Amino acid sequence: MNAFWCETAIITSDDSAGSKDRTAGPTTLTAAAGVRIETQNGRISSITTGAEPQPGDKRLTGITFPAAANAHSHAFHRVLRGRTHDGRGDFWVWREQMYRSASELTPEKYEKLATAVFAEMVVTGFSSVAEFHYVHHQPDGRPYAEPHAMELALARAAMSAGIRLTLLDTLYLAGGIGTPLNPEQARFGDADVHAWLDRLSSLRAAVAQQFPPELVSVGAALHSVRAVPEEDLKVVARQLPEDIPLHIHLSEQPAENQACLEAYGTTPAGLLERHGLLSNRLSAVHSTHLTQEDIALLGNAGATVVMCPSTEADLADGIGPARELADAGAAIALGTDQHAVIDPWTEMRTLEHGERLGTGQRGRFSPQELLRAATEGGARSMATPIAASGLEVGAVCDLMVIDPASTRTAGSRPLQMAFSATSSDVTEVIIAGELVASHGVHTQLGSPGSLLSEALQELS
């Protein structure tokens, strides 16, 4: 058992603490002083407010929040940060650069790179990540001699960094609607949907045998309606195990929507609904270019919509209808996607700023709603446990501490830190009741910057 004494902590209020019925309405958050947290087996076993520290307590000076959940990541995209900004273009131009980076990966190089990327996530305040993974095979499409070599490399990287991983094994069968995979995409694919389902089942067994389930779990993803033909969507709807999360890139680009309309007579969301794939276990990533009918479909299904504001801005994708989706009944989560920046506070703030720029109105998302999107919104996307938006008994003890007196945060109210804090203000990160990062340094791995520099030297 570990115990922490927090100078100030964000907790669920008395009328909502302990309630697991998230459908009854959002929890109310309170900034409480002198909060003492006891843990048992990595979970919060008791919370006392107005308490004095006791001998042996780990003192957390600052404002303690639940750690954030990164609901969408492509770890290898970190290679592109600061390397794709010397010309004009759009998403499709950027994609060609991304393919070149993917071609260089080996299991050894990817484990090294992903360890560094996951360590960067940890020191910035993330305790869990949903890794949308599709670099499965050798560059020519042949499987590696070691089964699941790339997938297990990612799992080992997560264990090294101490982050909770939901590994989303991705179905990727086509280069576009009615188009086969091109040579640069060969390593993403499987022989057919049945081969993918078999490989997914084998991967789940291998991960369960080698890694603790509270730290590494397997989910599923469909890359997009561009990459999964309609006949294969039908198979997935019938045969995908019901106990795992399902993610998909949805309506990220107008060209995707147009191709889907021409081929299937409906939008990507409509195609998923046609085959029974819209549900509360689905996470639709981006959802930038939706019709009003699409918004209603996702909301009525209770799906999670994963917004990646810094990536969507970096790629000039557009501003998605986050407020409308939330009002329709969808849960909003946040991800760092291509890692143009890894910072939960920046993602929260950019979500709201996008809404303001698009509507001319402030306060589209309240600070508490932004905190929920960064925590329990992401939890809905994952197979691994995560804390709620406020600290509460029974939740995993995953915490991040913010310095309230930095040049950015000085004077900010605790519950409005989403509009002033950055990852530079994260002083400590605790995962499963254990200190894993302090002032930007990983307790086991050291500086993520050094790790990243070394890993990136091996990749162009």
Side-chain angles (χ1 to χ4, degrees):
M1 181 186 79
N2 290 333
F4 301 90
W5 181 83
C6 310
E7 184 178 41
T8 302
I10 305 303
I11 63 173
T12 53
S13 66
D14 290 341
D15 59 348
S16 58
S19 172
K20 302 304 176 189
D21 182 10
R22 299 300 180 204
T23 64
T27 57
T28 300
L29 306 181
T30 301
V35 177
R36 188 169 185 272
I37 300 170
E38 292 184 324
T39 71
Q40 193 74 39
N41 298 323
R43 291 183 175 268
I44 298 174
S45 56
S46 71
I47 296 176
T48 306
T49 59
E52 296 294 327
Q54 297 184 16
D57 287 358
K58 167 65 176 174
R59 296 192 182 204
L60 302 178
T61 302
I63 304 171
T64 302
F65 292 81
N70 191 344
H72 188 65
S73 163
H74 302 291
F76 79 89
H77 288 192
R78 176 61 180 81
V79 174
L80 302 175
R81 185 192 296 178
R83 300 183 178 189
T84 61
H85 302 277
D86 56 355
R88 301 178 73 89
D90 57 12
F91 168 84
W92 306 102
V93 173
W94 170 88
R95 189 176 73 158
E96 295 307 313
Q97 298 168 313
M98 179 268 289
Y99 285 162
R100 287 195 292 272
S101 295
S103 69
E104 299 181 44
L105 296 173
T106 65
E108 296 75 21
K109 289 180 180 179
Y110 204 8
E111 181 173 350
K112 192 172 185 178
L113 174 63
T115 298
V117 174
F118 292 154
E120 183 180 2
M121 290 182 196
V122 167
V123 303
T124 60
F126 288 107
S127 68
S128 63
V129 60
E131 179 64 26
F132 198 113
H133 167 67
Y134 52 82
V135 188
H136 302 304
H137 309 300
Q138 297 183 65
D140 62 2
R142 289 180 298 130
Y144 284 98
E146 176 193 4
H148 314 300
M150 294 294 270
E151 291 75 24
L152 297 179
L154 286 168
R156 290 191 297 270
M159 290 294 294
S160 296
I163 198 168
R164 303 180 192 274
L165 172 68
T166 298
L167 180 59
L168 299 167
D169 196 83
T170 301
L171 177 62
Y172 200 136
L173 297 176
I177 296 176
T179 304
L181 293 173
N182 64 44
E184 290 179 314
Q185 298 167 319
R187 68 185 314 184
F188 307 160
D190 290 285
D192 55 34
V193 64
H194 300 288
W196 173 72
L197 285 165
D198 289 343
R199 190 172 57 74
L200 176 67
S201 177
S202 173
L203 175 62
R204 293 184 74 191
V207 167
Q209 184 177 32
Q210 298 181 42
F211 302 95
E214 67 274 13
L215 293 179
V216 182
S217 297
V218 175
L222 312 173
H223 180 271
S224 59
V225 300
R226 303 191 313 272
V228 182
E230 182 175 22
E231 291 304 311
D232 298 312
L233 291 177
K234 296 177 183 179
V235 175
V236 172
R238 292 194 305 267
Q239 298 187 25
L240 186 70
E242 296 181 356
D243 62 336
I244 59 176
L246 177 64
H247 290 224
I248 186 171
H249 295 122
L250 189 78
S251 291
E252 184 176 3
Q253 295 294 322
E256 171 189 327
N257 291 350
Q258 186 60 36
C260 190
L261 282 166
E262 291 175 359
Y264 304 124
T266 187
T267 62
L271 187 64
L272 297 183
E273 195 274 337
R274 178 184 293 174
H275 298 295
L277 288 167
L278 285 187
S279 72
N280 60 7
R281 77 149 164 180
L282 181 75
S283 292
V285 182
H286 301 304
S287 301
T288 310
H289 303 282
L290 301 179
T291 66
Q292 290 301 309
E293 183 179 0
D294 293 338
I295 292 170
L297 286 172
L298 289 163
N300 290 337
T304 297
V305 174
V306 184
M307 297 291 188
C308 306
S310 66
T311 287
E312 288 144 11
D314 182 75
L315 299 183
D317 284 347
I319 300 170
R323 181 71 266 169
E324 292 178 79
L325 284 159
D327 290 344
I332 304 298
L334 295 170
T336 62
D337 193 358
Q338 61 135 343
H339 315 305
V341 63
I342 295 180
D343 184 338
W345 300 96
T346 292
E347 300 299 340
M348 286 184 254
R349 187 156 53 252
T350 307
L351 178 69
E352 169 63 13
H353 284 175
E355 283 283 321
R356 294 183 185 188
L357 290 169
T359 65
Q361 298 176 345
R362 301 178 82 231
R364 299 281 290 176
F365 284 92
S366 71
Q368 294 198 29
E369 287 178 303
L370 295 175
L371 289 170
R372 280 194 287 272
T375 53
E376 62 188 80
R380 289 168 54 104
S381 294
M382 301 188 193
T384 50
I386 185 72
S389 53
L391 305 182
E392 61 183 45
V393 173
V396 291
C397 187
D398 291 2
L399 316 172
M400 66 169 154
V401 183
I402 290 293
D403 178 2
S406 76
T407 54
R408 293 161 295 277
T409 61
S412 300
R413 294 174 178 171
L415 283 170
Q416 294 191 27
M417 284 292 170
F419 290 94
S420 58
T422 72
S423 60
S424 296
D425 302 311
V426 176
T427 59
E428 287 158 309
V429 180
I430 289 95
I431 301 179
E434 300 291 339
L435 181 70
V436 294
S438 180
H439 295 277
V441 177
H442 196 283
T443 56
Q444 299 298 317
L445 300 174
S447 167
S450 297
L451 296 173
L452 286 160
S453 295
E454 185 178 337
L456 291 169
Q457 285 177 358
E458 301 180 8
L459 300 164
S460 62

